[in-house]
Amino acid sequence: MPVIGILIGLIAGLAVWIVLDQVQSKAIERIFGRELSMRLDLRARESLIRFDQYMTNYAATTRLLANHRRLAQYLEPLFWFPGEIVDPVVYAGFRPFWLPDVFGRNALLAPSHVLLVDSRGLVREVYQAGDARLPEELTGNLNQWLGGLDEVRSVLARFDDQPYLVVSDRVEDASGYTMGSLVVLVAVDAAFLAASEGSFSADRSAVALIDADEQRILASNEPQQLIPGTLLSEWSDEYLVTSQSLPAYEGSNWNMLFATFIPQRIVTKMSDKVIDFERNQRLIAALVFIAVFSLVIYLVSARLNKVLKRMTRFSQRALGIEQPGFRGGGNQLVLLEEWMQHFTSLVLRAREEMRRKHEHEMRETEALKAAIMEASLDAIVTLNRAGAVIDYNPTAERMLGFDRQAIIGLDFVGTFVAPNDRAHFIGLLRESSRRGPLGERPHARTELRAVRDDAQLFPIEVSIVPIALEEEPVYTLYIHDITKRKEAEREIKGLARFASESPSPILRVNGAARIVYANAASQPLIRAWETEPGGPLPTRWCEQVRAVLEDGETLEHEDDLGSTIYALLFVPIQELGYVNIYARDITAVRRAEQESRQHQAELVHVCRLSTMGEVATGMAHELNQPLAAIVNYANGASRRLKSGQGDSAALVDAMAHISGQAQRAGEIIKRLRALVGKQQPIRSAVDLNLLVREVCSFVEFETAKLELQIEQQLAEEAIPVDVDLVQIEQVLLNLVRNALDALEERSPGERVLLISTRRVEDRALVRVRDNGPGIPPERMSLLFDPFFTTKETGMGMGLPISLTILEDHDGTIRAESEPGLGTVFQVELPVATEALDERARAGTPGLTDARPLMLIEQPRAGGTHG
Ligand code: ADP
């Protein structure tokens, strides 16, 4: 059990004890005092009643005696003469006839004197019980002591400091004649008082008769303790005294009180008992308080402790603060106090933190709001319910052209909305407030015209946001100046006419390749595609649409529709997901190109024929050799056959030679035919080295004539090129022939003609170099012009045609020359990506067999020429 809990319990118990002591003991004292005085009162009253009763018994006995038969009989013969002075008859020690022993029978103390008094009050006879003499005051006239006619009179009198009870009653003789009175005198002494109280004074309370004037004890029932003659004040320490007057016995010669004495120690003992009892009560109460307080404090503090711990843990978690280290140890109250302090500090900190956060957020929100208001490109105007301006951002100032202060409070509609649009705007304001707060439904927005301060009208777009504030609903207007947009719209409308007016087809298709727009000029194209506006593109173009949208790059394709050829330019508009198709009718262009190509081919052919004229001379000469050999072998064979000497083996050998030579002649003729023939250009992959060798073989005759050996420096690896064999051979042949022409000017021994091939990355190079006279610089720029020639028999078409052919093959040709030293022509072609034609690789003779020998006019394959 925690010490502090007990300590607090103790303090509380003590406090309760002190309070109870203060309050309860006084109350008990009061109650006890009241009770005591009541009891004393009662006791005194009872004593007095007993005393009174005792004296009443005397009165009754006196009456009995006065009316006794014996007394009447005794008085019958007597006659007391009035005025007669006589000594009274005294009966000392014995009772006379007229006095029977009625007192003893009535358990009363015997009176000290019984007197017979005559009607004038003089004592006639005296009975005296003991030695005591009749008091002086009773020896004379007794009238003052005697009662009336019919009543017994009891008086407490005092004679010689001794109180006496004097009881008198009328006496008559037997004939009823009033003789006088019977007076009984009893000493009220200790015995009397003791007898009157009987056994009731067992509790050692005493009674006494007191002289009221002197406050002195006259007689008591305990004369040893309460000594007669002593003053009442002497006993006040030892006794509690209650004194009562004795009104029934008035007429006395002294002022008398009846007093009851209760010993102080009895009272003290009683009060001690009460105090003890009360102290025990207080102690029990205090103990109970201590126990209850300690328990309650312990339970409450433990409970509070728990709650605070939990709350602190929560707040710690919320604030991210460390667990505090407490000094309290196991003491719940100290712990509780520390928890409370800690918790309070946490709460204060949290409150401070939250206040700071809140302020910070408020500041940020304010700053943000201000920044938004400041930076907004839209005018923001806030109206109250009546439509008056209550707030306004700088853009609004600029847009509407009013000073901020002048505008606050103005009626917005009347000031800034064009008269024709006011009714519409007011209707919109009302509708917007019916639409409810932000976010529930889209805001009311409209386009209307606003009035600037210079009375100019301009178009705006207004969005109205009603805000239900607590005091009053307000409207926030977001105003956008749409002057530029309107202008742009007008411009776009104007621009849109371009497309519709365009003589070329313009279409727009969406991502799903559906035509969303087609101008009038695209009707024939759409018809040819067998679709319609809103319909799909032909499937062959759908893939292109998807591709350009994906890559974002423009693509151009041709669409040959038989009678018409269109160039289609696919332009993606990625952000809108559209593709614009700009079509161009290129039928005429393509026809012209085809024609020019045909012309070119014919020209090439003519050119080739002219070249071949010369080549053919050489070839015809060359043809002589195999033919002569054949003739020789044939003659030889027939001679042998005729002479009969020829064995079959020799004949077979001769036949083989004949056949070989005939084949060679056939090859030569074939080549000639191929060169002369008019052919359709066909591309195939061939080895460039092979072409070079072939061309060299064409001019063997001429080189021999010039006493010149063509030097070939060919690349070791095959260089595949995708070309038209005849055309490229023609180019190379032309270069070789020009070189040979140039070398004619050199003396035979000096002539050098070098042909080299090389591959540089994806380009194939052929260089034809001669050491002829070279070309003067001024002629260099004219080399590729048609009909430029320096030769008498020249046509001046060789190089221009070569250039055209090479351009057709994505190739180039260029010349370098140093006058006097020679000329180099370099041809460059792209390397083919596909594999070489098997035969081309093998380099078999009759390479040109692969092509048709006769010109057959075939339709061109659609639009694939690069
Ligand atoms: P042609 O051979 O019919 O004259 P070309 O177009 O083939 O037509 O040649 C044009 C001219 O270029 C030639 O007449 C010649 O003057 C010059 N030419 C061409 N090749 C050479 C060369 N290797 N050396 C010097 N001049 C050349």
Side-chain angles (χ1 to χ4, degrees):
M1 190 74 176
V3 179
I4 297 279
I6 295 171
L7 219 66
I8 288 195
L10 261 175
I11 291 167
L14 261 174
V16 169
W17 198 2
I18 289 166
V19 171
L20 281 182
D21 205 37
Q22 289 292 317
V23 179
Q24 197 181 359
S25 63
K26 268 186 192 148
I28 285 178
E29 225 168 75
R30 232 180 5 256
I31 293 165
F32 178 67
R34 211 164 41 228
E35 186 69 20
L36 191 66
S37 72
M38 252 166 63
R39 281 193 174 209
L40 290 180
D41 237 33
L42 202 66
R43 173 80 58 81
R45 248 175 246 277
E46 281 173 359
S47 299
L48 182 61
I49 287 166
R50 279 196 292 275
F51 180 70
D52 193 42
Q53 187 63 45
Y54 198 66
M55 289 207 293
T56 311
N57 286 350
Y58 272 101
T61 309
T62 303
R63 168 147 283 192
L64 185 70
L65 201 59
N67 294 305
H68 204 272
R69 178 181 44 85
R70 274 204 211 179
L71 186 59
Q73 279 174 2
Y74 175 69
L75 290 176
E76 183 64 32
L78 289 184
F79 187 78
W80 293 318
F81 295 100
E84 184 183 26
I85 309 278
V86 284
D87 284 333
V89 181
V90 176
Y91 307 97
F94 70 97
R95 273 189 284 117
F97 169 74
W98 49 267
L99 185 63
D101 184 19
V102 283
F103 291 102
R105 280 207 299 272
N106 284 352
L108 297 172
L109 289 178
S112 63
H113 297 86
V114 180
L115 312 177
L116 277 176
V117 182
D118 67 15
S119 52
R120 286 180 297 138
L122 290 176
V123 179
R124 290 292 180 163
E125 289 188 18
V126 177
Y127 162 71
Q128 186 178 319
D131 299 333
R133 287 186 59 246
L134 186 67
E136 199 62 42
E137 289 89 339
L138 296 180
T139 52
N141 193 309
L142 292 187
N143 270 338
Q144 66 162 321
W145 309 108
L146 304 178
L149 290 177
D150 292 323
E151 62 180 54
V152 176
R153 191 176 186 215
S154 301
V155 175
L156 275 171
R158 183 173 152 198
F159 309 115
D160 299 333
D161 244 13
Q162 172 66 49
Y164 284 93
L165 173 65
V166 182
V167 187
S168 65
D169 197 8
R170 191 164 55 106
V171 287
E172 294 168 349
D173 60 10
S175 57
Y177 177 77
T178 302
M179 289 293 292
S181 300
L182 177 76
V183 176
V184 173
L185 188 67
V186 188
V188 181
D189 52 9
F192 184 93
L193 286 171
S196 75
E197 289 304 307
S199 58
F200 289 102
S201 60
D203 58 359
R204 277 182 254 172
S205 62
V207 292
L209 279 179
I210 312 281
D211 183 329
D213 301 327
E214 296 172 7
Q215 292 286 308
R216 205 155 49 85
I217 296 173
L218 297 177
S220 79
N221 62 341
E222 303 273 353
Q224 283 82 21
Q225 287 161 30
L226 294 167
I227 303 153
T230 52
L231 283 172
L232 203 56
S233 57
E234 289 173 35
W235 305 104
S236 62
D237 289 344
E238 260 178 87
Y239 293 95
L240 259 173
V241 184
T242 313
S243 51
Q244 300 165 83
S245 59
L246 294 162
Y249 307 97
E250 274 173 6
S252 168
N253 55 349
W254 58 291
N255 194 2
M256 197 166 40
L257 288 173
F258 181 82
T260 316
F261 289 79
I262 295 172
Q264 280 284 8
R265 59 195 157 75
I266 294 178
V267 176
T268 317
K269 208 170 151 196
M270 269 170 70
S271 81
D272 280 355
K273 259 188 195 168
V274 170
I275 285 168
D276 275 356
F277 172 74
E278 186 222 1
R279 188 179 293 130
N280 287 345
Q281 291 283 319
R282 280 205 301 269
L283 190 67
I284 289 167
L287 284 175
V288 167
F289 265 92
I290 287 167
V292 169
F293 260 77
S294 304
L295 192 67
V296 166
I297 285 171
Y298 176 75
L299 290 177
V300 168
S301 72
R303 181 83 198 134
L304 264 177
N305 212 349
K306 250 189 204 166
V307 171
L308 277 173
K309 250 186 209 170
R310 217 169 32 233
M311 283 167 81
T312 307
R313 261 204 307 281
F314 282 141
S315 26
Q316 271 169 350
R317 233 175 287 152
L319 295 172
I321 298 166
E322 283 299 300
Q323 168 93 9
F326 287 147
R327 316 165 265 115
N331 194 321
Q332 289 289 318
L333 278 178
V334 178
L335 262 181
L336 181 64
E337 190 195 342
E338 293 191 355
W339 272 118
M340 281 177 95
Q341 277 173 4
H342 181 66
F343 183 70
T344 312
S345 76
L346 278 185
V347 169
L348 286 177
R349 258 158 76 188
R351 208 177 62 184
E352 183 60 21
E353 186 85 354
M354 277 173 76
R355 189 183 61 76
R356 266 209 310 278
K357 239 188 197 166
H358 182 66
E359 274 178 8
H360 184 68
E361 275 171 12
M362 286 286 284
R363 271 201 299 278
E364 273 189 348
T365 311
E366 282 297 315
L368 194 67
K369 198 183 133 204
I372 289 171
M373 289 284 276
E374 289 285 322
S376 170
L377 294 177
D378 284 340
I380 302 173
V381 179
T382 309
L383 306 183
N384 65 9
R385 190 198 217 132
V389 177
I390 54 175
D391 199 10
Y392 205 72
N393 76 341
T395 312
E397 267 180 72
R398 283 194 295 279
M399 190 186 289
L400 299 170
F402 278 92
D403 176 52
R404 185 180 172 83
Q405 287 315 314
I407 193 67
I408 296 290
L410 273 185
D411 173 33
F412 181 82
V413 182
T415 317
F416 295 112
V417 180
N420 288 346
D421 291 334
R422 281 177 194 162
H424 171 55
F425 183 76
I426 290 168
L428 208 67
L429 266 186
R430 291 209 188 106
E431 196 204 320
S432 80
S433 56
R434 274 202 304 277
R435 281 185 187 211
L438 211 65
E440 279 186 11
R441 279 204 275 168
H443 310 139
R445 63 193 307 156
T446 188
E447 286 181 14
L448 40 85
R449 277 161 310 141
V451 191
R452 227 191 295 276
D453 64 337
D454 54 7
Q456 259 196 335
L457 296 182
F458 65 103
I460 54 169
E461 186 176 15
V462 186
S463 162
I464 303 172
V465 181
I467 299 169
L469 294 186
E470 260 176 35
E471 320 88 70
E472 182 193 17
V474 298
Y475 304 97
T476 299
L477 311 182
Y478 294 87
I479 305 169
H480 191 63
D481 186 345
I482 53 171
T483 312
K484 288 218 172 87
R485 195 175 86 193
K486 287 282 173 195
E487 274 168 16
E489 278 174 11
R490 272 198 299 279
E491 218 145 276
I492 288 168
K493 262 187 204 158
L495 280 174
R497 278 177 33 212
F498 275 122
S500 63
E501 287 166 357
S502 164
S504 299
I506 297 176
L507 303 103
R508 171 170 283 187
V509 295
N510 60 15
R514 283 197 168 267
I515 301 167
V516 292
Y517 171 81
N519 70 350
S522 43
Q523 284 309 314
L525 179 62
I526 289 179
R527 265 200 302 280
W529 278 346
E530 294 174 349
T531 180
E532 57 190 355
L537 279 189
T539 39
R540 59 182 182 279
W541 298 122
C542 292
E543 183 54 30
Q544 261 70 19
V545 167
R546 200 189 55 73
V548 293
L549 263 183
E550 219 162 70
D551 303 343
E553 277 176 21
T554 306
L555 268 186
E556 195 166 5
H557 288 284
E558 277 180 25
D559 196 2
D560 191 346
L561 299 167
S563 58
T564 328
I565 302 169
Y566 283 101
L568 303 178
L569 183 68
F570 292 83
V571 180
I573 304 168
Q574 274 179 314
E575 59 275 21
L576 299 178
Y578 288 128
V579 175
N580 287 349
I581 303 174
Y582 301 97
R584 202 155 35 92
D585 185 347
I586 54 164
T587 319
V589 178
R590 287 288 172 260
R591 297 270 183 272
E593 276 176 9
Q594 205 174 346
E595 272 167 26
S596 100
R597 247 198 308 275
Q598 222 163 322
H599 285 144
Q600 192 186 327
E602 274 161 18
L603 194 61
V604 167
H605 185 228
V606 169
C607 209
R608 200 158 58 224
L609 283 181
S610 86
T611 311
M612 284 306 113
E614 291 159 48
V615 174
T617 316
M619 284 200 173
H621 178 77
E622 201 180 342
L623 206 54
N624 270 335
Q625 284 180 357
L627 286 178
I630 290 168
V631 171
N632 280 341
Y633 282 121
N635 286 341
S638 73
R639 259 197 319 272
R640 289 195 183 190
L641 280 173
K642 278 178 192 161
S643 62
Q645 328 168 328
D647 58 355
S648 57
L651 281 176
V652 168
D653 186 44
M655 296 305 271
H657 274 100
I658 290 170
S659 150
Q661 290 302 321
Q663 259 179 4
R664 193 177 152 203
E667 289 289 333
I668 292 167
I669 289 166
K670 259 190 211 164
R671 264 192 266 159
L672 202 59
R673 260 201 0 215
L675 277 172
V676 176
K678 198 177 180 186
Q679 292 171 7
Q680 187 66 19
I682 295 173
R683 298 277 176 103
S684 56
V686 288
D687 181 5
L688 188 59
N689 294 337
L690 194 65
L691 287 183
V692 171
R693 282 193 208 104
E694 191 105 332
V695 167
C696 290
S697 74
F698 287 159
V699 292
E700 270 171 16
F701 175 70
E702 285 163 297
T703 51
K705 216 168 70 180
L706 287 174
E707 297 170 35
L708 149 80
Q709 188 70 39
I710 297 178
E711 221 176 296
Q712 293 182 21
Q713 288 183 354
L714 304 184
E716 283 177 13
E717 290 287 311
I719 306 175
V721 283
D722 186 22
V723 295
D724 184 286
L725 294 172
V726 176
Q727 287 183 351
I728 298 301
E729 275 179 2
Q730 186 177 341
V731 169
L732 295 178
L733 186 61
N734 189 50
L735 294 180
V736 171
R737 281 194 46 71
N738 277 349
L740 292 175
D741 285 344
L743 285 172
E744 274 181 10
E745 293 186 20
R746 288 260 168 202
S747 49
E750 294 173 342
R751 291 168 187 156
V752 178
L753 175 56
L754 175 72
I755 301 183
S756 60
T757 59
R758 192 151 61 93
R759 177 178 176 163
V760 179
E761 293 175 356
D762 59 344
R763 305 298 281 178
L765 305 180
V766 187
R767 285 161 72 93
V768 180
R769 196 177 134 200
D770 65 72
N771 62 348
I775 305 165
E778 66 274 10
R779 284 193 203 153
M780 286 298 281
S781 58
L782 304 170
L783 284 182
F784 295 95
D785 288 353
F787 309 115
F788 170 76
T789 178
T790 54
K791 300 171 191 168
E792 278 178 26
T793 54
M795 278 175 66
M797 285 305 289
L799 288 176
I801 287 174
S802 297
L803 180 66
T804 312
I805 289 172
L806 284 170
E807 278 177 351
D808 212 27
H809 282 80
D810 287 336
T812 58
I813 178 167
R814 62 192 170 89
E816 284 171 26
S817 179
E818 269 189 64
L821 289 179
T823 309
V824 181
F825 277 88
Q826 176 171 299
V827 169
E828 204 182 300
L829 282 166
V831 172
T833 46
E834 51 191 279
L836 283 175
D837 188 303
E838 266 313 305
R839 278 197 297 164
R841 185 189 291 275
T844 50
L847 176 75
T848 48
D849 282 359
R851 54 184 67 190
L853 298 177
M854 300 298 293
L855 174 74
I856 301 161
E857 278 292 338
Q858 285 180 337
R860 285 167 52 89
T864 48
H865 283 278

